[in-house]
Amino acid sequence: MPISVPSVHVIDSHTEGEPTRVIIEGGPDLGQGSMKEKAERFARDFDGFRRSMILEPRGSDILVGALLCPPSSPACVAGVIFFNNVGLLGMCGHGTIGVAMTLAHLDRLKTGRHAIETPVGAVGFELLGGSLVSIENVPSWRYRKDVELQVEGLGTVVGDIAWGGNWFFLTRYCPCPLTVEHVDRLTAVTLQIRRHLDKHAITGARGERVDHVELFAAGEAHDAHSRNFVLCPGAAYDRSPCGTGTSAKLACLAADGLLAPGKPWVQESVIGSRFEASFRVAEDSGIIPSIRGSAHVYSEARLLCHPDDPFVGGVYHSRMTPEATR
Ligand code: PYC
């Protein structure tokens, strides 16, 4: 007689090289309430599910998960909680593009404009045809300019703190070229910067942890305005140019008067993939960034979660435990 094993239907895609795993069916029921309340419930009561979906052996440290749930606003096609190897994300730009392509792959959405609801606000998106998606992110803004850090082993590092759906420290400090051959050094340096931010309680506007660090240099392609390296909360680096990081960058450029509303900004990632971005001025304050990129669905699976499997709860990579990444 076949044994019934709990299974989770997932669809994996990548956006400009950075993967997203959308939980289609088999995820926890988070009940009623706002997306913020649902995210709090997910973090508090279902952390084992998060670990099982993202960590090895079913996942990997570089995956971002997207749990679909009913939205509280009828204007949105889905509620989405993004999560990674160490916890939850406020928003995820590459992940929103991945969710959009996944819903199109399932034939749940047609070309045109739609929106999802995240714990930090509604995010509009447009399926542009083929693999292209453009998103309209939550209002983004710069909180502090030219924050000077004296980082052990690195010396003076100057950067801005900005919100783009997650909190970022953005700096032009570049110890080596922003290329894949250097990702170990770039990871070590950005972790060192983040440890300094943590140690000295340098936070977002309401005391939030600044959990993403973004290094910038000139773009390599002739039409790229900039290239970046983005350290994510769990010590993985973003293979895409990071949607929320590009939003935070646009907020800084806008605040400095270096980019006008509607003007294009091409942001390259450390692997050379790219987002095309621009912004409009937000009604209250800050900017509304638009980010355009491509996503490709590459796998559809049922993850089996047999209770007898000793590693059903996932295993942390030794360098990437929540403690090691602090
Ligand atoms: O695209 O916003 C993003 C993102 C955040 C973390 C990884 N990707």
Side-chain angles (χ1 to χ4, degrees):
M1 180 131 146
I3 305 168
S4 147
V5 177
S7 76
V8 183
H9 179 194
V10 299
I11 295 186
D12 291 354
S13 61
H14 75 83
T15 304
E16 306 295 346
E18 176 79 353
T20 307
R21 169 164 289 173
V22 182
I23 314 298
I24 305 294
E25 201 180 58
D29 178 357
L30 300 174
Q32 302 298 312
S34 67
M35 284 305 296
K36 195 162 172 283
E37 288 164 335
K38 287 179 190 173
E40 282 163 6
R41 217 166 286 144
F42 183 45
R44 190 186 59 232
D45 301 336
F46 297 100
D47 203 51
F49 178 83
R50 174 191 65 77
R51 289 199 308 266
S52 180
M53 293 298 108
I54 291 292
L55 301 182
E56 298 174 12
R58 287 166 183 76
S60 95
D61 283 308
I62 76 165
L63 268 177
V64 168
L67 177 65
L68 299 184
C69 31
S72 54
S73 159
C76 295
V77 294
V80 183
I81 299 170
F82 292 107
F83 55 100
N84 63 16
N85 55 343
V86 288
L88 269 51
L89 286 164
M91 220 301 276
C92 182
H94 93 266
T96 301
I97 295 173
V99 167
M101 280 310 292
T102 298
L103 295 176
H105 164 83
L106 289 170
D107 238 350
R108 291 190 189 174
L109 292 181
K110 299 278 173 249
T111 308
R113 287 179 189 275
H114 310 276
I116 57 164
E117 197 176 353
T118 76
V120 296
V123 177
F125 66 89
E126 185 171 3
L127 286 162
L128 297 166
S131 61
L132 258 190
V133 178
S134 136
I135 71 167
E136 195 167 84
N137 197 4
V138 294
S140 301
W141 49 287
R142 180 168 69 192
Y143 169 48
R144 291 179 66 185
K145 178 179 165 67
D146 287 345
V147 179
E148 194 174 306
L149 315 177
Q150 296 301 327
V151 183
E152 207 183 314
L154 304 182
T156 306
V157 177
V158 178
D160 292 358
I161 298 176
W163 170 257
N166 296 299
W167 281 103
F168 286 81
F169 182 81
L170 306 101
T171 177
R172 292 206 161 274
Y173 180 92
C174 279
C176 53
L178 303 185
T179 55
V180 277
E181 302 82 60
H182 297 287
V183 294
D184 286 348
R185 172 127 174 78
L186 294 166
T187 301
V189 162
T190 45
L191 273 171
Q192 188 69 356
I193 293 173
R194 197 172 59 193
R195 279 193 198 105
H196 183 97
L197 297 170
D198 285 343
K199 184 169 165 196
H200 295 272
I202 299 168
T203 65
R206 288 190 200 87
E208 303 92 336
R209 184 171 187 236
V210 177
D211 56 5
H212 291 72
V213 177
E214 186 163 1
L215 308 181
F216 284 96
E220 288 204 348
H222 70 281
D223 59 344
H225 297 93
S226 166
R227 190 176 181 95
N228 68 13
F229 173 88
V230 180
L231 177 80
C232 296
Y237 66 92
D238 198 334
R239 276 65 172 164
S240 85
C242 193
T244 50
T246 300
S247 299
K249 177 67 181 176
L250 292 183
C252 296
L253 291 166
D256 286 333
L258 294 175
L259 189 70
K263 288 279 177 217
W265 178 265
V266 176
Q267 183 64 58
E268 258 177 8
S269 74
V270 70
I271 68 165
S273 59
R274 51 163 62 200
F275 282 154
E276 286 175 33
S278 63
F279 71 89
R280 64 182 169 85
V281 176
E283 272 167 29
D284 297 336
S285 63
I287 60 158
I288 305 289
S290 296
I291 312 280
R292 195 159 68 150
S294 281
H296 299 268
V297 170
Y298 61 83
S299 162
E300 186 159 0
R302 281 199 173 275
L303 302 183
L304 304 181
C305 302
H306 201 295
D308 287 351
D309 177 346
F311 298 119
V312 72
V315 186
Y316 278 113
H317 187 293
S318 59
R319 280 192 304 132
M320 294 191 176
T321 62
E323 297 72 35
T325 56
R326 284 212 165 233

